[in-house]
Amino acid sequence: MKRLGKITGVLVAAFLVIGLAVPARRAEAAPVVGAKAYVLMEASTGRVLLENNRDAKLPMASTTKIMTCLLAVENGNMDDIVTIPKEAVGQEGTSIYLREGEKVAFSDLVYGLMLASGNDAAVAIAIHLAGSVEAFAQMMNEKAREIGANNSNFVTPNGLPDDNHYTTAYDLALISS
């Protein structure tokens, strides 16, 4: 038994000596990211962990739908039945193929917005909540300012191209948080 204790003591001492002799591992280099701009943010604290070109104003495309969804969840009633307006039908790009006059649950529009990236669902939500795309864009901009996303400007609920529709990586991180 004493012999086992001595062997254990020698092994522990050897590991300590070896551990002290081996240089500490260097921190990994930052990952290579091919994006024009990015922000990695800890959502609960808002602490930026990694960033590059965070304040560059860039088109936001379908990431616009994050704000549309946020407003839908905060201001809409998931049990509402929405009559699809003609303005929502035939939107360019991705679609859930809504038809004018069709009656759809608001919750289904939100699912179509986020799961299928439905540009038509985005317009139907906007008109249902605000009466028009323009009024909904105003709601989006007000919400952006409320959460500190001051370098963004919304024109559409779906992100279809418009020179006045933009965000920054930092603002998008705030909106996503």
Side-chain angles (χ1 to χ4, degrees):
M1 201 62 148
K2 279 187 170 183
R3 182 169 166 85
L4 187 58
K6 275 188 172 179
I7 292 173
T8 304
V10 170
L11 286 174
V12 169
F15 285 130
L16 283 173
V17 169
I18 292 169
L20 293 173
V22 175
R25 186 170 178 222
R26 291 185 306 156
E28 296 294 323
V32 176
V33 179
K36 290 180 185 178
Y38 58 86
V39 167
L40 175 62
M41 179 183 284
E42 185 178 13
S44 63
T45 65
R47 188 172 128 224
V48 174
L49 305 172
L50 193 64
E51 67 177 88
N52 182 51
N53 210 15
R54 72 186 243 168
D55 294 321
K57 292 180 180 176
L58 298 166
M60 64 185 112
S62 280
T63 58
T64 299
K65 293 174 181 128
I66 298 168
M67 179 65 87
T68 301
C69 184
L70 179 62
L71 289 173
V73 169
E74 287 182 352
N75 299 295
N77 178 344
M78 294 299 156
D79 295 327
D80 280 357
I81 300 299
V82 178
T83 301
I84 302 304
K86 67 179 177 180
E87 297 89 347
V89 177
Q91 289 289 309
E92 172 185 342
T94 55
S95 176
I96 61 170
Y97 305 101
L98 296 171
R99 294 180 315 270
E100 183 180 352
E102 177 181 13
K103 298 198 182 310
V104 179
F106 188 76
S107 60
D108 288 342
L109 292 174
V110 174
Y111 285 123
L113 172 77
M114 297 308 288
L115 296 177
S117 194
N119 291 333
D120 51 354
V123 171
I125 289 167
I127 293 171
H128 179 70
L129 290 179
S132 70
V133 167
E134 296 77 18
F136 189 75
Q138 184 176 350
M139 285 176 63
M140 297 171 88
N141 288 316
E142 288 169 6
K143 182 66 177 181
R145 301 304 166 263
E146 177 186 317
I147 62 177
N150 298 316
N151 292 312
S152 295
N153 191 62
F154 292 90
V155 177
T156 72
N158 50 28
L160 289 175
D162 186 294
D163 289 342
N164 291 317
H165 191 84
Y166 55 84
T167 193
T168 66
Y170 180 75
D171 282 5
L172 191 55
L174 286 174
I175 294 164
S176 298
S177 293

